[in-house]
Amino acid sequence: MPPKIAKRGLAEVLLEQGLITEEQRRECIAVQKATNLSLAHILVERGYLSEEDLVVTLSQQLDIPHIRVTNYNIPKEVIEEVPESLARQYQMLPVSVTGDVLTLAMADPLNIMALDDLRLVTNYEINPVVAVESELTQAIEKHYGVGKQSAELYKKLVAGDGQEEKLEVVEEKEDIADTASLQAEAQHAPVIRLVNLILVNALEAGASDIHVEPFEKVLRVRYRVDGVLEETQNPPKAVQAALVSRLKIMSNLDISEHRLPQDGRFRIQFRAREIDFRISFLPCYYGEKVVMRILDKGNLTMDLDKMGFEEQPAKAFGEALAAPFGMILLTGPTGSGKTTTLYSALHKLNTPDTNIVTVEDPIEYELFGVNQVQTQSQIGLTFAAGLRSILRQDPDIVMVGEIRDEETADIAVKAALTGHLVLSTLHTNDAASVFTRLIDMNVEPFLVQSSIVLAAAQRLPRRICAECKEPIRVPDDVLRRIQFHQQPGAEPPVFYRGRGCSRCKNTGYKGRLALIEAMPNYPDLQELVMKRAPASQIKNMAIKCGMKTMRQNALAKAAKGLTSLEEVLKLTAAD
């Protein structure tokens, strides 16, 4: 039976409980009529109500239980009782069948139309329970997957054009020779809308990367949000070739070439701002994998002082940038924010009386007043060749995107020793390994110790969601094991975690913050470098000289309630 007070509807129940105002009710109902979205979704999206408040209120007022659908392992035969089209349309999921009663998790159990439709289709009595909408959406994707609905929907979109069979060619293992046909498919309105939808959804989710991955029977799309990959709704496998071709056309790449990797970029207009995408195509067994890096200037922090570095690394970084010459090297894995930090440093140094030239692969952001050179290895314009030419351009400051080889390292070091401030990146795990890595690249130790001004390492831990942040108690012995040292006489810190809410998609995290380990070239380090000492010895000496390690800086962030101890342990190694 439907809930006993269902005739009043969701808005009336919430209004009666004082959880929304009459103005909000009218506004959301108007939006609902215009968009056909669920009222519960609109209320939560506009911030008038949290998902948790909504679920608890409905559960109490309707006298029905609420469940966490993510904790349920639902048998396949139960899922098959409810058609995918109805599950997606009404945001509902079958949980169990007992006799002639179907227990149904719903975001809005007051939706009489949904209950009536399902009763007619299944011939079951419906026992509704209430669930968090975001969890319900994830559970529907998990249990129904891509399903037949999306594929059928796409076929309807292209119906009448006779293109369905052409799209099926993506599952063939043979080469695609008909470039004209492939280009025509990529220019169809449904394909264009699909690509735009993928891009816009990524931007609205705050993603840094988009992954399009081909498998035997599935085309998977994932977004990297706050450093973690999360799966979204997958497009039908049938559109794979057309989708990849559309992206190649947008990037001005060769759509007939699908055996070799290709790299490109394109730019779109989104909500009155321009967004760049750096795109890479990699041939895999079942087609080309596509990864797009989103470069949004609107999210670029160009002020080093606002990046939130701890006191010691912030001071060390500032002093290094004030040096007249020498090398500043930043290390860290891909996606750790090195480029953002270097651009922020250039922004600080960019004055009318300074000539700044960069050589990059690729140029991620355009900086006014900075002369930026894009490498083109196919015509011989490598980092080393570009750097040689830059030194003939009377530069004051030089940025090299990355020191990848012995030749580039040698030229960069010599430039740093002849009156230039050189900024670059290097792939090592920590700051101390910068010295040993350059020596491994056959740079003489005396050149290394005399050229480096600062070596730094960077990570991007996730920030605890402000909406669901809650304090936790951490035993003293755990704090000792993770090397947290409290100042004598200081108040014990309060550590936090994110409980999980609709705002953070139940992850407990929203956004990221910059974490840096900055190692100035202390005089006591130079003798160790000359002796080719291992990185561990260099690091220990730097700690004695006053350097704060990555773990210490991360623990300081956690003690301020900015990140969690789990993130600290995941991203930093013990000292």
Side-chain angles (χ1 to χ4, degrees):
M1 292 294 292
K4 57 187 177 182
I5 59 172
K7 290 183 179 179
R8 283 187 291 162
L10 175 61
E12 285 72 18
V13 171
L14 296 174
L15 184 63
E16 181 183 286
Q17 295 301 307
L19 292 172
I20 62 172
T21 65
E22 175 62 29
E23 183 182 351
Q24 291 170 345
R25 184 187 76 86
R26 286 198 301 267
E27 177 190 340
C28 291
I29 288 176
V31 173
Q32 182 187 27
K33 289 178 180 178
T35 63
N36 209 28
L37 293 171
S38 73
L39 191 62
H41 177 84
I42 296 166
L43 286 163
V44 171
E45 184 181 51
R46 292 182 172 246
Y48 296 150
L49 202 64
S50 72
E51 284 188 312
E52 289 74 14
D53 286 342
L54 178 63
V55 167
V56 171
T57 300
L58 288 173
S59 177
Q60 291 174 348
Q61 294 302 311
L62 302 178
D63 196 24
I64 60 175
H66 64 275
I67 66 171
R68 309 302 294 262
V69 288
T70 51
N71 298 333
Y72 277 75
N73 185 17
I74 305 171
K76 183 179 179 182
E77 55 271 20
V78 174
I79 292 293
E80 290 174 349
E81 294 290 350
V82 176
E84 178 191 358
S85 57
L86 287 182
R88 293 186 186 277
Q89 180 182 351
Y90 293 125
Q91 284 293 285
M92 57 190 185
L93 187 73
V95 176
S96 64
V97 175
T98 306
D100 62 349
V101 177
L102 172 66
T103 299
L104 186 73
M106 304 179 69
D108 180 7
L110 293 170
N111 191 332
I112 294 297
M113 187 180 295
L115 294 169
D116 288 345
D117 283 356
L118 193 60
R119 192 176 295 107
L120 287 171
V121 170
T122 65
N123 291 320
Y124 280 113
E125 281 298 321
I126 309 299
N127 177 35
V129 295
V130 63
V132 175
E133 185 179 15
S134 59
E135 294 183 2
L136 201 53
T137 301
Q138 292 175 12
I140 290 170
E141 292 300 329
K142 172 185 174 183
H143 291 290
Y144 285 102
V146 176
K148 297 179 181 178
Q149 183 192 11
S150 55
E152 290 172 356
L153 175 62
Y154 183 78
K155 286 182 180 179
K156 288 179 182 178
L157 287 171
V158 297
D161 295 335
Q163 299 297 330
E164 298 97 311
E165 293 182 4
K166 291 182 181 179
L167 292 174
E168 294 295 335
V169 79
V170 293
E171 297 204 30
E172 298 289 339
K173 296 302 295 179
E174 301 172 0
D175 288 349
I176 300 173
D178 190 354
T179 304
S181 173
L182 196 58
Q183 186 164 5
E185 290 174 359
Q187 299 289 20
H188 285 160
V191 176
I192 294 172
R193 285 198 294 268
L194 176 61
V195 171
N196 291 347
L197 183 65
I198 291 172
L199 300 181
V200 169
N201 285 347
L203 291 169
E204 290 181 338
S208 61
D209 300 88
I210 305 170
H211 291 239
V212 181
E213 302 165 311
F215 297 100
E216 184 179 7
K217 297 180 179 179
V218 175
L219 181 63
R220 183 169 71 174
V221 176
R222 295 190 291 172
Y223 298 149
R224 188 177 294 280
V225 180
D226 294 339
V228 178
L229 280 172
E230 55 182 47
E231 193 165 350
T232 184
Q233 185 170 353
N234 297 328
K237 176 73 175 177
V239 304
Q240 178 177 314
L243 188 151
V244 170
S245 296
R246 172 62 185 166
L247 290 171
K248 287 183 179 178
I249 289 170
M250 292 171 69
S251 311
N252 292 318
L253 297 175
D254 183 0
I255 67 168
S256 66
E257 180 56 76
H258 53 275
R259 298 165 299 174
L260 295 174
Q262 294 191 74
D263 296 307
R265 63 191 303 149
F266 61 90
R267 179 178 296 176
I268 67 170
Q269 285 275 353
F270 178 71
R271 293 178 183 170
R273 68 181 194 268
E274 289 187 345
I275 310 240
D276 286 326
F277 288 80
R278 195 177 79 204
I279 189 165
S280 171
F281 297 84
L282 179 69
C284 295
Y285 190 69
Y286 289 108
E288 291 172 272
K289 174 177 177 177
V290 185
V291 175
M292 290 172 270
R293 168 66 57 88
I294 300 173
L295 305 171
D296 185 359
K297 282 186 180 180
N299 293 331
L300 186 63
T301 302
M302 283 295 193
D303 191 343
L304 275 176
D305 298 331
K306 293 182 180 178
M307 295 188 73
F309 295 158
E310 291 298 305
E311 182 181 356
Q312 183 271 327
K315 182 180 178 183
F317 213 98
E319 290 175 351
L321 291 176
F325 57 86
M327 290 181 70
I328 298 174
L329 294 178
L330 197 57
T331 76
T334 301
S336 61
K338 301 187 300 294
T339 302
T340 300
T341 301
L342 284 181
Y343 277 145
S344 299
L346 290 181
H347 181 74
K348 184 174 183 177
L349 296 169
N350 188 12
T351 57
D353 59 351
T354 304
N355 180 21
I356 302 177
V357 189
T358 74
V359 54
E360 306 171 56
D361 181 25
I363 296 172
E364 294 198 4
Y365 298 99
E366 298 172 14
L367 300 176
F368 177 78
V370 176
N371 305 283
Q372 296 173 270
V373 177
Q374 167 72 57
T375 64
Q376 299 184 61
S377 56
Q378 67 272 19
I379 59 171
L381 182 53
T382 61
F383 277 121
L387 188 52
R388 279 199 198 91
S389 297
I390 285 173
L391 295 178
R392 294 192 286 269
Q393 290 283 316
D394 185 31
D396 299 300
I397 298 167
V398 176
M399 189 189 93
V400 183
E402 183 184 345
I403 295 179
R404 296 178 180 172
D405 52 52
E406 181 180 330
E407 186 180 12
T408 308
D410 181 62
I411 299 170
V413 166
K414 289 176 180 174
L417 292 172
T418 54
H420 304 93
L421 184 62
V422 179
L423 287 73
S424 189
T425 68
L426 202 63
H427 278 289
T428 67
N429 288 324
D430 59 8
S433 299
V434 165
F435 297 91
T436 55
R437 176 73 179 122
L438 286 175
I439 292 173
D440 288 341
M441 295 172 80
N442 292 323
V443 180
E444 290 294 332
F446 75 91
L447 294 176
V448 173
Q449 64 89 14
S450 57
S451 62
I452 291 179
V453 175
L454 179 82
Q458 186 163 321
R459 301 290 187 274
L460 293 177
R462 291 182 291 175
R463 186 186 294 271
I464 297 174
C465 174
E467 295 294 322
C468 59
K469 187 176 181 180
E470 62 181 16
I472 58 171
R473 183 185 176 280
V474 183
D476 292 340
D477 63 318
V478 173
L479 292 177
R480 283 194 296 271
R481 285 203 303 272
I482 65 175
Q483 299 178 316
F484 180 79
H485 303 294
Q486 187 175 333
Q487 295 294 332
E491 288 290 324
V494 179
F495 294 97
Y496 292 85
R497 70 170 182 180
R499 184 179 62 254
C501 65
S502 58
R503 183 174 181 267
C504 62
K505 299 180 181 177
N506 293 304
T507 63
Y509 299 97
K510 186 69 175 175
R512 292 200 282 179
L513 49 92
L515 183 66
I516 195 166
E517 173 184 88
M519 180 184 292
N521 190 359
Y522 298 109
D524 291 343
L525 302 184
Q526 296 174 15
E527 185 178 349
L528 293 176
V529 174
M530 290 295 291
K531 293 179 179 178
R532 300 174 184 261
S536 58
Q537 286 188 28
I538 295 173
K539 181 176 181 178
N540 289 335
M541 179 58 73
I543 293 172
K544 291 179 182 177
C545 294
M547 183 194 79
K548 298 294 183 183
T549 65
M550 188 76 77
R551 171 63 64 87
Q552 290 171 324
N553 288 314
L555 287 170
K557 296 287 188 192
K560 293 176 181 177
L562 298 175
T563 191
S564 68
L565 291 177
E566 288 82 3
E567 282 291 287
V568 170
L569 297 176
K570 184 174 79 172
L571 293 180
T572 66
D575 299 333

Coordinates of all heavy atoms in Angstrom, one line a residue, residues 435 439 444-454 519-533 537-539 541-542 545:
F435 N 68.9 15.8 -5.5 CA 70.4 15.8 -5.6 C 71.0 14.5 -6.2 O 71.8 14.6 -7.1 CB 71.0 16.1 -4.2 CG 70.6 17.4 -3.6 CD1 69.5 17.5 -2.7 CD2 71.4 18.5 -3.8 CE1 69.2 18.7 -2.2 CE2 71.0 19.7 -3.2 CZ 69.9 19.8 -2.4
I439 N 72.8 13.7 -10.0 CA 74.1 13.0 -10.1 C 74.0 11.7 -10.9 O 74.9 11.4 -11.7 CB 74.6 12.7 -8.7 CG1 75.0 14.0 -8.0 CG2 75.8 11.8 -8.7 CD1 75.3 13.9 -6.5
E444 N 78.0 16.5 -12.6 CA 79.0 16.4 -11.6 C 78.5 16.9 -10.2 O 77.8 18.0 -10.2 CB 80.2 17.3 -12.0 CG 81.0 16.7 -13.2 CD 81.6 15.4 -12.9 OE1 82.0 15.1 -11.7 OE2 81.8 14.5 -13.8
P445 N 78.8 16.2 -9.2 CA 78.4 16.7 -7.8 C 78.7 18.1 -7.5 O 77.9 18.8 -6.8 CB 79.1 15.7 -6.9 CG 79.3 14.5 -7.7 CD 79.6 15.0 -9.1
F446 N 79.8 18.6 -7.9 CA 80.2 20.0 -7.5 C 79.3 21.0 -8.2 O 79.0 22.1 -7.7 CB 81.7 20.3 -7.8 CG 82.0 20.5 -9.2 CD1 82.0 21.8 -9.8 CD2 82.4 19.4 -10.0 CE1 82.3 22.0 -11.1 CE2 82.7 19.6 -11.4 CZ 82.7 20.9 -11.9
L447 N 78.8 20.6 -9.4 CA 77.8 21.5 -10.2 C 76.5 21.4 -9.5 O 75.8 22.4 -9.4 CB 77.7 21.0 -11.6 CG 79.0 21.2 -12.5 CD1 78.7 20.7 -13.9 CD2 79.3 22.7 -12.6
V448 N 76.1 20.2 -9.0 CA 74.8 20.0 -8.4 C 74.7 20.9 -7.1 O 73.8 21.6 -6.9 CB 74.5 18.5 -8.1 CG1 73.2 18.4 -7.2 CG2 74.4 17.7 -9.4
Q449 N 75.7 20.7 -6.2 CA 75.7 21.4 -4.9 C 75.8 22.9 -5.1 O 75.3 23.7 -4.2 CB 76.8 20.8 -4.0 CG 78.2 21.1 -4.5 CD 78.8 22.4 -3.9 OE1 78.2 23.0 -3.0 NE2 79.9 22.8 -4.5
S450 N 76.4 23.4 -6.2 CA 76.5 24.8 -6.3 C 75.4 25.5 -7.1 O 75.3 26.7 -7.1 CB 77.9 25.2 -7.0 OG 78.0 24.5 -8.2
S451 N 74.6 24.7 -7.8 CA 73.5 25.3 -8.6 C 72.2 25.3 -8.0 O 71.4 26.2 -8.2 CB 73.5 24.5 -10.0 OG 73.1 23.2 -9.8
I452 N 71.9 24.3 -7.2 CA 70.5 24.1 -6.6 C 70.3 25.1 -5.5 O 71.1 25.2 -4.5 CB 70.2 22.7 -6.1 CG1 70.2 21.8 -7.3 CG2 68.9 22.6 -5.3 CD1 69.9 20.3 -7.0
V453 N 69.2 25.9 -5.5 CA 68.9 26.8 -4.5 C 67.8 26.1 -3.6 O 67.9 26.3 -2.3 CB 68.3 28.1 -5.0 CG1 67.8 29.0 -3.9 CG2 69.3 28.8 -5.9
L454 N 66.9 25.4 -4.2 CA 65.8 24.8 -3.4 C 65.3 23.5 -4.1 O 65.2 23.6 -5.4 CB 64.6 25.8 -3.3 CG 63.4 25.2 -2.5 CD1 63.7 25.3 -1.0 CD2 62.1 25.9 -2.9
M519 N 63.2 22.0 0.7 CA 64.6 21.7 1.2 C 65.5 22.8 0.6 O 66.0 22.6 -0.5 CB 65.1 20.3 0.9 CG 66.5 20.0 1.4 SD 67.0 18.4 0.9 CE 65.9 17.3 1.8
P520 N 65.9 23.8 1.4 CA 66.9 24.8 0.9 C 68.2 24.0 0.8 O 68.5 23.0 1.5 CB 66.9 25.9 2.0 CG 65.6 25.7 2.7 CD 65.3 24.2 2.7
N521 N 69.1 24.5 0.0 CA 70.5 23.9 -0.1 C 71.3 24.4 1.1 O 72.2 25.3 0.9 CB 71.1 24.3 -1.4 CG 72.4 23.5 -1.7 OD1 72.8 22.7 -0.9 ND2 73.0 23.8 -2.9
Y522 N 71.0 23.8 2.3 CA 71.8 24.2 3.5 C 73.3 24.0 3.3 O 73.7 23.0 2.6 CB 71.3 23.4 4.7 CG 69.9 23.6 5.0 CD1 68.9 22.6 4.8 CD2 69.4 24.8 5.6 CE1 67.6 22.8 5.2 CE2 68.1 25.0 6.0 CZ 67.2 24.0 5.8 OH 65.9 24.2 6.1
P523 N 74.2 24.8 3.8 CA 75.6 24.6 3.7 C 76.0 23.2 4.2 O 76.9 22.6 3.6 CB 76.2 25.7 4.6 CG 75.2 26.8 4.6 CD 73.9 26.1 4.5
D524 N 75.4 22.7 5.2 CA 75.7 21.3 5.7 C 75.4 20.2 4.7 O 75.9 19.1 4.9 CB 75.0 21.1 7.0 CG 75.5 22.0 8.2 OD1 76.6 22.5 8.0 OD2 74.8 22.1 9.2
L525 N 74.6 20.5 3.7 CA 74.2 19.4 2.8 C 75.3 19.3 1.7 O 75.4 18.2 1.1 CB 72.9 19.8 2.1 CG 71.6 19.9 2.9 CD1 70.4 20.1 2.0 CD2 71.4 18.7 3.8
Q526 N 76.0 20.4 1.5 CA 76.9 20.4 0.3 C 78.0 19.4 0.3 O 78.4 18.8 -0.7 CB 77.4 21.8 0.1 CG 76.3 22.8 -0.2 CD 76.7 24.3 -0.3 OE1 77.9 24.6 -0.4 NE2 75.8 25.2 -0.2
E527 N 78.5 19.2 1.5 CA 79.6 18.2 1.7 C 79.1 16.8 1.4 O 79.7 15.9 0.8 CB 80.2 18.2 3.1 CG 81.4 17.3 3.2 CD 82.0 17.4 4.6 OE1 81.7 18.3 5.4 OE2 82.9 16.5 4.9
L528 N 77.8 16.5 1.8 CA 77.2 15.2 1.6 C 77.0 15.0 0.1 O 77.2 13.9 -0.4 CB 75.9 15.1 2.3 CG 75.9 15.1 3.8 CD1 74.5 15.1 4.4 CD2 76.7 13.8 4.3
V529 N 76.6 16.1 -0.6 CA 76.4 16.0 -2.1 C 77.7 15.7 -2.8 O 77.7 14.8 -3.7 CB 75.7 17.2 -2.6 CG1 75.6 17.2 -4.1 CG2 74.3 17.4 -2.0
M530 N 78.7 16.4 -2.3 CA 80.0 16.1 -3.0 C 80.5 14.7 -2.8 O 81.2 14.1 -3.6 CB 81.1 17.1 -2.3 CG 80.9 18.6 -2.7 SD 81.1 18.8 -4.5 CE 82.9 18.6 -4.6
K531 N 80.1 14.1 -1.6 CA 80.5 12.7 -1.4 C 79.6 11.7 -2.0 O 79.7 10.5 -1.7 CB 80.6 12.5 0.2 CG 81.7 13.2 0.9 CD 81.6 12.9 2.4 CE 82.7 13.7 3.1 NZ 82.7 13.4 4.6
R532 N 78.6 12.2 -2.7 CA 77.5 11.3 -3.4 C 76.8 10.5 -2.3 O 76.5 9.3 -2.5 CB 78.2 10.4 -4.4 CG 78.8 11.1 -5.5 CD 79.5 10.1 -6.5 NE 80.3 10.8 -7.5 CZ 79.9 10.9 -8.8 NH1 78.7 10.5 -9.1 NH2 80.6 11.6 -9.7
A533 N 76.5 11.1 -1.2 CA 75.7 10.5 -0.1 C 74.3 10.1 -0.6 O 73.7 10.8 -1.4 CB 75.7 11.4 1.1
Q537 N 70.6 10.2 3.9 CA 71.5 11.0 4.7 C 71.3 12.5 4.5 O 71.3 13.3 5.4 CB 72.9 10.6 4.4 CG 73.4 9.3 4.9 CD 74.9 9.0 4.7 OE1 75.7 10.0 4.6 NE2 75.3 7.8 4.6
I538 N 71.0 12.8 3.2 CA 70.8 14.2 2.9 C 69.5 14.7 3.6 O 69.5 15.8 4.2 CB 70.7 14.4 1.4 CG1 72.0 14.1 0.7 CG2 70.2 15.8 1.0 CD1 72.0 14.1 -0.8
K539 N 68.5 13.9 3.6 CA 67.2 14.2 4.2 C 67.4 14.4 5.8 O 66.9 15.4 6.4 CB 66.2 13.2 4.0 CG 64.8 13.5 4.6 CD 63.8 12.4 4.1 CE 62.4 12.7 4.7 NZ 61.4 11.7 4.3
M541 N 70.1 15.2 7.4 CA 70.8 16.4 7.7 C 69.9 17.6 7.5 O 70.0 18.6 8.3 CB 72.0 16.5 6.8 CG 72.9 17.8 7.0 SD 73.5 17.9 8.7 CE 74.7 16.6 8.7
A542 N 69.1 17.6 6.5 CA 68.2 18.8 6.2 C 67.2 18.9 7.4 O 66.9 20.1 7.8 CB 67.4 18.6 4.9
C545 N 68.8 20.7 10.1 CA 69.0 22.1 9.8 C 67.7 22.9 9.8 O 67.7 24.1 9.7 CB 69.6 22.2 8.4 SG 71.3 21.6 8.2

